[in-house]
Amino acid sequence: METPIQRLDFPNHRNVRLYCKREDLLPFSLGGNKVRIGQAFYADMLAKGKDCMMVYGNSRSNLCRVLANLCRAHQIPCYMICSREEGEESGIETNNSRLMKWLGAEVIPCEKTNIAQTVEDTVNRLTAEGKHPYYIFGDKYGTGNEGTPVQAYVDGYREIQQWEKQEGVLFSHIFFASGTGSTQCGLVSGKILEQGSEKIVGISISSREYERAMKVMQTGIQDYFAENHLELPVDFAKELHLEMGYRQEGYGKYDDRIMKVIREEFCRNGLPLDPTYTGKAFWGMKEYIEEHQLEDCNVLFLHTGGTPLFYDCLPGGTL
Ligand SMILES: *Cc1c(COP(=O)(O)O)cnc(C)c1O
């Protein structure tokens, strides 16, 4: 499953040439990085002999939509523990949450402070019903399965490097929206394994604090290398660059600067972005390019998908 890399029109005064890898065009369930990542979890569920899927996310989650779709296609029951962000009075609806319901996933609402308990209760209920639930994030605290999704973007990194060699274009930087860190773990692991030279820069779009995000990514990379009997350089953590300055008020929060970039990119390049993930990351990347005065280089934006949320942010939509 190889996705195209295209040159974008990107007016600037320092000869920065911008390219975009269109992971949003992956051919399943409206695309996005969660197609690759979801398939890795789904395969792990089967490998572990489980017979139903438990996911955690919120109403904007692309991972929950893709997993609900994969499960439905294979007639596997799918349970989605759905939290809302602090300050959201009631759970908001998005195209993703509508699609999850439409796909027949059972949505289990939950407070953000009560996730572990809800995971445990759900595991117990399903077990009592004779099922063997697979929780994608490991134990009830969401740890223990960090290595599983990493392969997805080791493969993604290899595609990028392949393209660079074929086209004779070397990227100085790779930017993308970073949330759980799975994509970043994969790209960084791929770079280490293939001795790449690009600076891999995650633009944080999540509410996770820096220390915790870095810890989770280190664990993911360590687990992946250990599970695959690969040798990990001791100083691997120096490859993890996570920008925390473009989160605005936190996950799902955005202002007019982001909406302006979204409209601009659609008008200029026909590129759909959304305010929670790719639009925020694209805006963050543009700020970064200015702040760091990047000059005469090739930059790659990894478009991680979220197409349903693009439609949500059009005038008249729910975001
Ligand atoms: C999940 C998601 C991300 C973040 O990817 P992680 O691997 O969780 O860091 C970025 N963009 C979109 C559109 C996503 O759905």
Side-chain angles (χ1 to χ4, degrees), residues 31-34 37 60-63 65 96 137 149 153 176-185 203 205-206 208 217 251 274 276-278 281 302-307 309:
N33 64 344
K34 298 315 173 341
I37 289 169
R60 295 174 179 80
S61 171
N62 295 303
L63 178 59
R65 182 238 317 152
N96 278 337
F137 293 131
Y153 277 91
F176 52 96
S178 189
T180 65
S182 297
T183 304
Q184 191 158 356
C185 286
I203 306 287
I205 51 78
S206 89
R208 221 176 240 176
M217 288 197 285
Y251 179 81
D274 78 89
T276 302
Y277 300 100
T278 54
L302 186 77
H303 190 313
T304 45
T307 300
L309 302 171

Side-chain angles (χ1 to χ4, degrees), residues 166-202:
Q166 202 175 299
E167 301 292 322
V169 172
L170 188 59
F171 298 122
S172 60
H173 294 74
I174 302 175
F175 291 96
F176 52 96
S178 189
T180 65
S182 297
T183 304
Q184 191 158 356
C185 286
L187 292 173
V188 167
S189 297
K191 174 185 168 177
I192 292 169
L193 290 170
E194 303 300 335
Q195 285 148 21
S197 60
E198 309 83 358
K199 181 167 183 176
I200 295 172
V201 186

Side-chain angles (χ1 to χ4, degrees), residues 56-267:
Y56 162 76
N58 65 60
S59 58
R60 295 174 179 80
S61 171
N62 295 303
L63 178 59
C64 292
R65 182 238 317 152
V66 169
L67 280 173
N69 208 157
L70 273 172
C71 286
R72 183 62 194 240
H74 294 95
Q75 295 166 20
I76 294 279
C78 182
Y79 303 88
M80 186 219 172
I81 294 168
C82 184
S83 72
R84 48 180 192 231
E85 290 301 300
E86 280 149 64
E88 269 173 25
E89 342 56 75
S90 60
I92 58 154
E93 283 239 317
T94 72
N95 285 323
N96 278 337
S97 64
R98 280 186 282 269
L99 284 168
M100 282 178 248
K101 284 183 201 150
W102 205 48
L103 289 160
E106 183 184 317
V107 178
I108 301 157
C110 146
E111 298 293 325
K112 257 210 133 168
T113 48
N114 204 26
I115 303 163
Q117 189 62 48
T118 310
V119 171
E120 185 167 81
D121 292 348
T122 308
V123 169
N124 289 342
R125 167 171 70 103
L126 297 174
T127 307
E129 290 170 12
K131 299 191 180 80
H132 305 89
Y134 172 83
Y135 181 46
I136 59 167
F137 293 131
D139 67 14
K140 65 176 174 173
Y141 302 110
T143 60
N145 205 19
E146 288 86 351
T148 299
V150 176
Q151 184 67 48
Y153 277 91
V154 171
D155 298 342
Y157 179 83
R158 288 187 171 131
E159 280 185 26
I160 293 168
Q161 199 180 51
Q162 189 78 31
W163 186 92
E164 287 178 298
K165 285 182 177 153
Q166 202 175 299
E167 301 292 322
V169 172
L170 188 59
F171 298 122
S172 60
H173 294 74
I174 302 175
F175 291 96
F176 52 96
S178 189
T180 65
S182 297
T183 304
Q184 191 158 356
C185 286
L187 292 173
V188 167
S189 297
K191 174 185 168 177
I192 292 169
L193 290 170
E194 303 300 335
Q195 285 148 21
S197 60
E198 309 83 358
K199 181 167 183 176
I200 295 172
V201 186
I203 306 287
S204 172
I205 51 78
S206 89
S207 304
R208 221 176 240 176
E209 289 313 316
Y210 182 76
E211 271 70 33
R212 166 134 171 81
M214 291 299 271
K215 186 95 206 20
V216 170
M217 288 197 285
Q218 288 177 21
T219 306
I221 294 172
Q222 283 165 331
D223 287 0
Y224 174 76
F225 275 73
E227 283 161 19
N228 292 281
H229 314 289
L230 296 165
E231 200 162 334
L232 182 62
V234 283
D235 60 349
F236 76 96
K238 73 176 195 321
E239 299 292 346
L240 289 170
H241 305 286
L242 185 64
E243 290 295 324
M244 305 299 285
Y246 310 112
R247 294 187 297 167
Q248 300 204 346
E249 304 293 304
Y251 179 81
K253 305 288 196 315
Y254 59 95
D255 66 12
D256 291 347
R257 290 171 296 175
I258 290 177
M259 281 314 297
K260 182 168 166 276
V261 164
I262 291 175
R263 189 169 180 186
E264 206 166 72
E265 284 314 310
F266 197 75
C267 293

